Amino acid sequence: MRALCWNGVNDLRVETVPDPEIVNPRDAILKVVASTTCGSDLHFINGYIPTMREGDVIGHEFMGEVVDVGPAVTKVKRGDRVVVPSFICCGSCWYCKHDLYSLCDTTNPNAVMQSAALGYPTAGIYGYTHAFGGYAGAHATYVRVPHADTDCFKIPEGVSDEQALFLSDAAPTGFMGADFCNIRRGEVIAVWGAGGVGQMALQSARALGAERVIAIDRFPERLALAREKAQAETINYEEEPVLDRLKELTGGRGPDACIDAVGMEAHGPGVQYAYDRVKQALRLETDRGEALRQAIMAVRKGGVLSVLGVYGVMDKFPLGVLMNKGITVRTAQQHGQKYIPKLFDMLHKGQLDTSCLATHHFSLEDSARGYSMFKKKQDGIMRAVFRPD
Ligand SMILES: NC(=O)c1ccc[n+]([C@@H]2O[C@H](COP(=O)([O-])OP(=O)(O)OC[C@H]3O[C@@H](n4cnc5c(N)ncnc54)[C@H](O)[C@@H]3O)[C@@H](O)[C@H]2O)c1
Ligand SMILES: [Zn+2]
Ligand SMILES: [Zn+2]
């Protein structure tokens, strides 16, 4: 089959690789119908997240058609149209039973690598480094889905391929970020980053009852989409001082919760950004923390900081600000298996628009170009969608 492979930093190529096979009775094989890019991919494409290997098939956000199932699979069958969360979960360990799916204890065969870094291993993920299990990704003709009964979600009639595609990752991530904020009536939620994850967080915060949502980014088209789809107020950080503006918009008190949907490759206008950039380039720190530090400063006293952006080890992390302001920090990799049924319901009720993320379409053969555009945020791209056919 054909697949998009990582061959080194900034070197992606479509190659011919062996078809996946059923290796475990609980596996399914999917014919990929659509897959898409994620900001998380950029972190290893740009060389900031280690343990990729030459020839790794990438891609962790996808939907498709079941073409084969192992003998122990009971809930899905050939011909089903399904969406699959990016984290691979067994459904039966202590973490899965507690709805903490991305922390599944059993699906990372390279648990030793992750335990060394994190103390304990997390779940495996498709197409995302060997520390996360080294599973083949989904920018391919076919993909193997272990634990098919837990991880394949049948797509209801009336939900399009592209609406469902983003339930794989961007939508549950954004929803989880808003869920973490425990939103009460009248609250104001600010979201740093108006990419796919930020857009889903903004829309979800609205659906969960936020009175006002504020989007912070620098790309006018992304801010415009936030205004259109989430009735967000917007701040372009290149044009206005973010902290002053947020105080102005909230009567001096600050947002009740701040969501970071930016992560380790934050951009910024100031000296701190230049410092982070140099240290990151020299591999002396992994993170450019501009957005996260700003969110910590901006959140009101006693508020919530919800971190969706992916981070490693950050310099100048202001723990004292969090402590003295009594901030509650919530963060996780997304627990898609928990949220997908709810998200289907929201699509049905018109509370969520996911297909607006599908701004650009490419054949699988042309997917490396899709990533290049996504990386440079060219031509108003939000997410690149790839179709193998
Ligand atoms: N927790 C999870 O499970 C999970 C899932 C998916 C993605 N992520 C992470 O979420 C983050 C966002 O992902 P995405 O796919 O939306 O990425 P993206 O690259 O499409 O969007 C990131 C956005 O952040 C903006 N940004 C950069 N610096 C900023 C700053 N200082 N202030 C405000 N905005 C700034 C960029 O302009 C861009 O629009 C990434 O770190 C990704 O790894 C986490
Ligand atoms: Zn993702
Ligand atoms: Zn599990």
Side-chain angles (χ1 to χ4, degrees):
M1 67 169 185
R2 301 289 281 166
L4 182 64
C5 301
W6 184 92
N7 287 298
V9 172
N10 287 314
D11 186 1
L12 302 178
R13 273 176 262 154
V14 177
E15 293 171 5
T16 299
V17 302
D19 285 3
E21 289 173 358
I22 303 269
V23 294
N24 177 300
R26 289 179 294 271
D27 289 352
I29 303 292
L30 248 64
K31 183 175 190 319
V32 177
V33 172
S35 65
T36 187
T37 54
C38 175
S40 300
D41 297 321
L42 298 179
H43 305 328
F44 67 72
I45 291 171
N46 293 333
Y48 301 126
I49 292 207
T51 74
M52 290 296 287
R53 290 185 197 153
E54 208 171 313
D56 283 346
V57 177
I58 71 165
H60 60 267
E61 307 194 5
F62 60 101
M63 51 78 57
E65 185 193 323
V66 177
V67 291
D68 201 1
V69 292
V73 175
T74 59
K75 294 187 190 148
V76 287
K77 56 180 188 320
R78 276 185 206 153
D80 283 348
R81 195 169 64 109
V82 299
V83 59
V84 178
S86 46
F87 280 87
I88 300 164
C89 303
C90 74
S92 47
C93 73
W94 188 91
Y95 290 95
C96 287
K97 292 279 184 221
H98 286 78
D99 274 353
L100 298 167
Y101 290 96
S102 67
L103 306 176
C104 176
D105 235 354
T106 70
T107 56
N108 188 343
N110 296 329
V112 173
M113 278 166 97
Q114 264 214 340
S115 298
L118 304 180
Y120 306 89
T122 69
I125 184 169
Y126 300 92
Y128 206 85
T129 79
H130 287 260
F132 280 95
Y135 287 91
H139 297 325
T141 321
Y142 299 101
V143 61
R144 180 175 77 93
V145 177
H147 300 292
D149 281 342
T150 304
D151 293 355
C152 289
F153 288 79
K154 281 188 212 171
I155 301 170
E157 279 200 24
V159 174
S160 71
D161 293 349
E162 272 176 16
Q163 280 178 303
L165 171 61
F166 298 102
L167 268 51
S168 169
D169 188 304
T173 304
F175 186 86
M176 179 182 75
D179 191 31
F180 281 166
C181 298
N182 276 330
I183 299 171
R184 278 167 294 195
R185 202 174 281 276
E187 288 197 331
V188 183
I189 312 298
V191 179
W192 274 253
V197 172
Q199 298 288 341
M200 294 296 104
L202 288 158
Q203 289 189 27
S204 300
R206 266 258 177 260
L208 289 173
E211 183 162 310
R212 293 163 63 204
V213 296
I214 303 171
I216 301 146
D217 206 302
R218 76 183 156 123
F219 292 106
E221 65 279 5
R222 291 185 166 206
L223 294 172
L225 191 71
R227 284 194 292 273
E228 185 193 331
K229 300 292 179 185
Q231 297 77 51
E233 294 158 70
T234 56
I235 301 175
N236 185 328
Y237 67 80
E238 288 192 318
E239 293 170 2
E240 306 179 88
V242 175
L243 295 179
D244 292 350
R245 187 75 185 114
L246 282 172
K247 280 191 183 166
E248 242 170 63
L249 288 170
T250 56
R253 194 165 66 182
D256 297 288
C258 290
I259 300 178
D260 172 315
V262 175
M264 56 165 43
E265 294 184 64
H267 162 268
V271 174
Q272 181 63 50
Y273 170 69
Y275 166 93
D276 283 336
R277 219 184 146 80
V278 170
K279 283 204 78 169
Q280 192 186 45
L282 295 173
R283 302 295 187 264
L284 294 172
E285 67 170 331
T286 56
D287 300 343
R288 308 203 294 259
E290 189 85 2
L292 184 59
R293 294 192 196 101
Q294 205 167 57
I296 292 171
M297 284 303 283
V299 65
R300 75 155 161 81
K301 293 178 283 183
V304 175
L305 174 74
S306 167
V307 184
L308 301 175
V310 164
Y311 288 99
V313 181
M314 186 185 300
D315 272 27
K316 297 192 166 45
F317 181 77
L319 186 60
V321 182
L322 287 173
M323 190 270 162
N324 283 296
K325 282 166 67 182
I327 306 306
T328 300
V329 181
R330 299 290 309 276
T331 183
Q333 299 277 13
Q334 62 116 353
H335 303 304
Q337 287 82 346
K338 172 178 178 183
Y339 292 112
I340 286 178
K342 163 91 185 157
L343 293 167
F344 276 133
D345 192 45
M346 288 171 69
L347 284 177
H348 183 67
K349 291 182 177 145
Q351 292 173 332
L352 187 71
D353 181 347
T354 51
S355 48
C356 65
L357 302 185
T359 54
H360 288 63
H361 297 81
F362 301 84
S363 66
L364 178 62
E365 292 301 319
D366 205 18
S367 51
R369 190 169 68 87
Y371 266 101
S372 166
M373 283 185 72
F374 176 61
K375 176 180 160 164
K376 297 176 196 150
K377 310 288 185 261
Q378 286 170 334
D379 190 37
I381 192 168
M382 179 67 76
R383 283 279 196 266
V385 175
F386 307 132
R387 285 184 182 265
D389 289 333

Coordinates of all heavy atoms in Angstrom, one line a residue, residues 28-34 62-68 77-83 141-143 155:
A28 N -8.9 -4.8 14.0 CA -9.6 -4.6 12.8 C -8.6 -3.9 11.8 O -7.7 -3.3 12.2 CB -10.8 -3.7 13.0
I29 N -8.9 -4.1 10.5 CA -8.2 -3.4 9.5 C -9.2 -2.4 8.9 O -10.3 -2.8 8.5 CB -7.6 -4.3 8.4 CG1 -6.7 -5.4 9.0 CG2 -6.9 -3.5 7.3 CD1 -5.4 -4.9 9.6
L30 N -8.8 -1.2 8.8 CA -9.6 -0.1 8.1 C -9.0 0.3 6.8 O -7.8 0.4 6.7 CB -9.6 1.1 9.0 CG -10.9 1.5 9.7 CD1 -11.2 0.4 10.7 CD2 -10.7 2.8 10.4
K31 N -9.9 0.4 5.8 CA -9.5 1.2 4.6 C -9.7 2.6 4.9 O -10.9 3.0 5.3 CB -10.4 0.7 3.5 CG -10.0 1.3 2.1 CD -10.9 0.7 1.0 CE -10.5 1.1 -0.4 NZ -10.0 2.4 -0.5
V32 N -8.7 3.4 4.9 CA -8.8 4.8 5.3 C -9.6 5.5 4.2 O -9.3 5.5 3.0 CB -7.4 5.4 5.5 CG1 -7.5 6.9 5.8 CG2 -6.6 4.7 6.5
V33 N -10.6 6.2 4.7 CA -11.4 7.1 3.7 C -10.8 8.5 3.8 O -10.7 9.1 2.7 CB -12.9 7.0 4.1 CG1 -13.7 8.0 3.3 CG2 -13.4 5.6 3.9
A34 N -10.5 9.0 5.0 CA -10.0 10.4 5.1 C -9.1 10.4 6.3 O -9.4 9.8 7.4 CB -11.1 11.4 5.2
F62 N -8.2 10.0 11.8 CA -8.7 9.3 10.6 C -10.0 8.7 10.8 O -10.5 8.5 11.9 CB -7.7 8.2 10.1 CG -7.4 7.2 11.2 CD1 -8.1 5.9 11.1 CD2 -6.6 7.4 12.2 CE1 -7.8 4.9 12.0 CE2 -6.4 6.4 13.2 CZ -7.0 5.2 13.1
M63 N -10.7 8.4 9.7 CA -11.9 7.6 9.7 C -11.8 6.7 8.5 O -11.1 7.0 7.5 CB -13.2 8.5 9.7 CG -13.3 9.6 8.7 SD -13.8 9.0 7.1 CE -15.3 8.2 7.4
G64 N -12.7 5.7 8.5 CA -12.6 4.8 7.3 C -13.6 3.7 7.4 O -14.6 3.7 8.2
E65 N -13.4 2.7 6.5 CA -14.3 1.6 6.4 C -13.7 0.3 6.9 O -12.5 0.0 6.5 CB -14.8 1.4 5.0 CG -15.8 0.4 4.8 CD -16.0 0.0 3.3 OE1 -15.9 0.9 2.5 OE2 -16.2 -1.2 3.0
V66 N -14.3 -0.5 7.8 CA -13.8 -1.7 8.3 C -13.8 -2.7 7.1 O -14.8 -3.0 6.5 CB -14.6 -2.2 9.4 CG1 -14.1 -3.6 9.9 CG2 -14.6 -1.2 10.6
V67 N -12.6 -3.3 6.8 CA -12.5 -4.3 5.8 C -12.1 -5.7 6.3 O -12.3 -6.7 5.6 CB -11.5 -3.9 4.6 CG1 -12.0 -2.7 3.9 CG2 -10.1 -3.6 5.2
D68 N -11.7 -5.8 7.5 CA -11.4 -7.1 8.1 C -11.4 -7.0 9.6 O -11.0 -5.9 10.2 CB -10.0 -7.5 7.6 CG -9.8 -9.0 7.7 OD1 -10.8 -9.7 8.1 OD2 -8.7 -9.5 7.4
K77 N -18.1 -4.7 12.3 CA -18.0 -5.7 11.3 C -17.6 -5.1 10.0 O -17.6 -3.8 9.8 CB -19.4 -6.4 11.1 CG -20.5 -5.5 10.8 CD -21.8 -6.3 10.7 CE -22.9 -5.4 10.2 NZ -23.0 -4.0 10.7
R78 N -17.2 -5.9 9.0 CA -16.9 -5.4 7.7 C -17.9 -4.5 7.1 O -19.1 -4.8 7.3 CB -16.7 -6.6 6.7 CG -15.3 -7.2 6.9 CD -15.1 -8.3 5.8 NE -14.1 -9.2 6.4 CZ -14.0 -10.5 6.2 NH1 -14.8 -11.0 5.3 NH2 -13.1 -11.1 6.7
G79 N -17.5 -3.4 6.5 CA -18.4 -2.5 5.9 C -18.8 -1.4 6.8 O -19.4 -0.4 6.3
D80 N -18.6 -1.5 8.1 CA -18.9 -0.4 9.0 C -18.1 0.9 8.7 O -16.9 0.7 8.5 CB -18.7 -0.8 10.5 CG -19.8 -1.6 11.0 OD1 -20.9 -1.8 10.3 OD2 -19.6 -2.2 12.1
R81 N -18.7 2.0 8.7 CA -18.0 3.3 8.6 C -17.7 3.8 10.0 O -18.7 4.0 10.8 CB -18.9 4.3 7.8 CG -18.2 5.5 7.2 CD -19.1 6.2 6.3 NE -20.3 6.8 6.9 CZ -20.5 8.1 7.2 NH1 -19.7 9.0 6.8 NH2 -21.6 8.5 7.8
V82 N -16.5 4.0 10.3 CA -16.1 4.3 11.7 C -15.1 5.4 11.8 O -14.3 5.7 10.9 CB -15.5 3.0 12.4 CG1 -16.6 1.9 12.5 CG2 -14.2 2.6 11.8
V83 N -15.1 6.1 13.0 CA -14.0 7.0 13.3 C -13.3 6.5 14.5 O -13.9 5.8 15.3 CB -14.6 8.5 13.6 CG1 -15.6 8.5 14.7 CG2 -13.5 9.4 13.9
T141 N -3.2 3.8 2.9 CA -4.4 3.2 2.3 C -5.1 2.4 3.4 O -6.4 2.4 3.4 CB -3.9 2.2 1.2 OG1 -2.9 2.8 0.4 CG2 -5.1 1.9 0.2
Y142 N -4.4 1.7 4.2 CA -5.0 0.9 5.3 C -4.3 1.1 6.6 O -3.2 1.6 6.6 CB -4.9 -0.6 5.0 CG -5.5 -1.1 3.7 CD1 -4.8 -1.3 2.6 CD2 -6.9 -1.3 3.6 CE1 -5.4 -1.7 1.4 CE2 -7.5 -1.7 2.5 CZ -6.8 -1.9 1.3 OH -7.4 -2.2 0.2
V143 N -5.0 0.9 7.7 CA -4.4 1.0 9.0 C -5.0 -0.1 9.9 O -6.2 -0.5 9.8 CB -4.7 2.4 9.6 CG1 -6.2 2.7 9.8 CG2 -4.0 2.6 10.9
I155 N -20.2 5.6 12.6 CA -20.6 6.9 12.3 C -22.1 6.9 11.9 O -22.5 6.2 11.0 CB -19.8 7.5 11.1 CG1 -18.3 7.5 11.5 CG2 -20.3 8.9 10.7 CD1 -17.4 7.8 10.3

